[in-house]
C-alpha cells in the first residue's frame, strides 16, 4: 500500500515497512545528478499476475503518458492546456490524480525547477484564479529546449498506486514552418508489460509504445552484455505488443 502514497519515503524500522511479494505493486521514483544533466524517472512494476483493475488503472496512466509524449502544439502553448492530454484517459473512467503532470528539471541543479510546468487539471478554475504562483507556473509558455517531466499517475488510497514518469525535451516539430513544438522522450526505461491491457490501447498508442520500446532496447542493451539475465528481461519487456 506504500505505492498509494504519492511521495512515499522509506524509513528504517518504520511500521510502514513491508516485504515486497509477487502480488504487490512496486513503484520506484528514482533519479540522479550527473555532470551532463539530472534525471527524474518513475516506473511501476508488478512481478506476478495483476488484477484486471490494476491493469486498467495502469493502462489509463500509460495512455495519458503516451498522449502527452506524442503531442504537437504551437510554440508558447502553456502547460495548463497540455495537462488535459495526460488526464483524459483517466477522466473517461472517472479517475483523477492530485499532483502536477510535469515540472522543469535543472541541469545538475534542482530536480524541480521552474519557471514552467504542466498541470492545473486537478484544480478548479476558481482556485487557479486566486493563486498567482499556480498561474505563473502553468501559464508560462513552453519553448524549444525546455527539459521537463511527464508523470501522470493514479493512487487508490490504502491499496496501491501507479505513476509513469519520463524526462522529455521540447524540440521543433516537422510541421508549421518551425512554429510548432513536440517532445523528445530521453528516458529509456521500459514500461511494465504485465500491467498493460492491450485491448484498451488505440493503434496509435500501440505504435508509440512499440517504437519507444525498440529505442529502449537499442539504446541500453550494451550495458547488459555481461549480464544475460538482465538482457533477457530487457528483451522480453521491449518486444512488440
Amino acid at each position: 500500500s506504500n505505492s498509494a502514497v504519492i511521495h512515499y519515503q522509506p524509513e528504517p524500522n518504520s511500521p510502514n515497512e513491508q516485504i515486497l511479494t509477487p502480488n504487490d505493486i512496486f513503484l520506484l521514483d528514482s533519479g540522479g545528478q550527473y555532470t551532463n544533466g539530472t534525471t527524474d524517472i518513475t516506473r511501476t512494476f508488478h512481478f506476478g499476475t495483476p488484477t484486471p483493475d490494476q491493469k486498467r488503472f495502469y493502462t489509463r496512466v500509460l495512455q495519458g503518458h503516451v498522449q502527452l509524449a506524442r503531442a504537437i502544439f504551437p510554440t508558447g502553448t502553456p502547460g495548463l492546456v497540455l495537462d488535459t492530454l495526460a488526464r483524459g484517459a483517466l477522466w473517461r473512467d472517472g479517475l483523477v490524480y492530485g499532483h502536477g503532470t510535469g515540472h522543469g528539471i535543472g541541469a545538475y541543479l534542482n530536480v524541480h525547477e521552474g519557471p514552467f510546468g504542466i498541470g492545473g487539471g486537478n484544480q478548479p478554475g476558481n482556485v487557479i484564479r486566486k493563486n498567482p504562483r499556480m498561474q505563473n507556473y502553468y501559464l508560462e509558455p513552453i519553448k524549444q529546449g525546455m527539459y521537463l517531466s511527464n508523470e501522470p499517475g493514479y493512487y487508490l488510497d490504502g491499496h496501491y498506486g501507479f505513476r509513469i514518469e519520463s524526462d522529455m525535451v521540447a524540440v521543433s516539430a516537422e510541421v508549421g514552418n518551425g512554429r510548432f513544438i513536440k517532445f523528445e522522450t530521453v528516458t529509456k526505461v521500459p514500461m511494465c508489460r504485465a500491467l498493460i491491457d492491450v485491448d484498451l490501447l488505440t493503434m496509435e498508442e500501440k505504435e508509440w509504445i512499440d517504437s519507444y520500446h525498440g529505442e529502449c532496447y537499442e539504446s541500453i542493451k550494451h550495458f547488459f552484455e555481461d549480464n544475460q539475465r538482465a538482457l533477457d528481461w530487457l528483451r522480453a519487456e521491449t518486444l512488440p505488443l
Side-chain angles (χ1 to χ4, degrees), residues 1-6 57 96 98 154-162:
S1 62
N2 291 332
S3 61
V5 181
I6 293 176
F57 296 151
V96 298
Y154 176 67
Y155 313 88
L156 187 62
D157 288 346
H159 295 278
Y160 45 72
F162 308 88

Side-chain angles (χ1 to χ4, degrees), residues 6 57 59-69 79-103 117-124 128 134 137-138 150-155 163 205:
I6 293 176
F57 296 151
T59 304
R60 291 308 191 200
V61 173
L62 175 59
Q63 287 177 292
H65 186 89
V66 171
Q67 290 303 322
L68 181 57
L80 182 64
V81 173
L82 299 175
D83 194 42
T84 59
L85 297 174
R87 297 180 188 269
L90 288 159
W91 283 350
R92 286 195 293 273
D93 276 3
L95 307 174
V96 298
Y97 56 93
H99 58 75
T101 297
H103 57 81
I118 296 176
N122 61 314
Q123 298 290 344
I128 298 175
M134 195 175 293
Y137 197 61
Y138 294 137
N150 171 4
E151 51 180 304
Y154 176 67
Y155 313 88
R163 185 165 64 255
E205 289 165 347

Side-chain angles (χ1 to χ4, degrees), residues 59-198:
T59 304
R60 291 308 191 200
V61 173
L62 175 59
Q63 287 177 292
H65 186 89
V66 171
Q67 290 303 322
L68 181 57
R70 60 189 298 272
I72 296 177
F73 53 94
T75 298
T77 299
L80 182 64
V81 173
L82 299 175
D83 194 42
T84 59
L85 297 174
R87 297 180 188 269
L90 288 159
W91 283 350
R92 286 195 293 273
D93 276 3
L95 307 174
V96 298
Y97 56 93
H99 58 75
T101 297
H103 57 81
I105 303 172
Y108 210 76
L109 295 167
N110 294 328
V111 175
H112 287 224
E113 182 174 85
F116 68 99
I118 296 176
N122 61 314
Q123 298 290 344
N126 62 319
V127 172
I128 298 175
R129 186 181 293 119
K130 296 176 182 178
N131 190 319
R133 179 185 177 279
M134 195 175 293
Q135 291 175 26
N136 291 336
Y137 197 61
Y138 294 137
L139 292 178
E140 180 71 20
I142 293 180
K143 305 172 184 177
Q144 288 186 42
M146 287 182 167
Y147 178 46
L148 68 159
S149 67
N150 171 4
E151 51 180 304
Y154 176 67
Y155 313 88
L156 187 62
D157 288 346
H159 295 278
Y160 45 72
F162 308 88
R163 185 165 64 255
I164 302 173
E165 178 181 19
S166 299
D167 301 337
M168 312 185 297
V169 177
V171 299
S172 177
E174 297 83 5
V175 297
N177 297 318
R179 293 178 288 109
F180 280 70
I181 287 175
K182 66 178 182 178
F183 291 126
E184 176 186 344
T185 299
V186 297
T187 299
K188 305 303 179 187
V189 180
M191 309 301 175
C192 180
R193 292 182 66 91
L195 282 167
I196 299 175
D197 185 341
V198 178

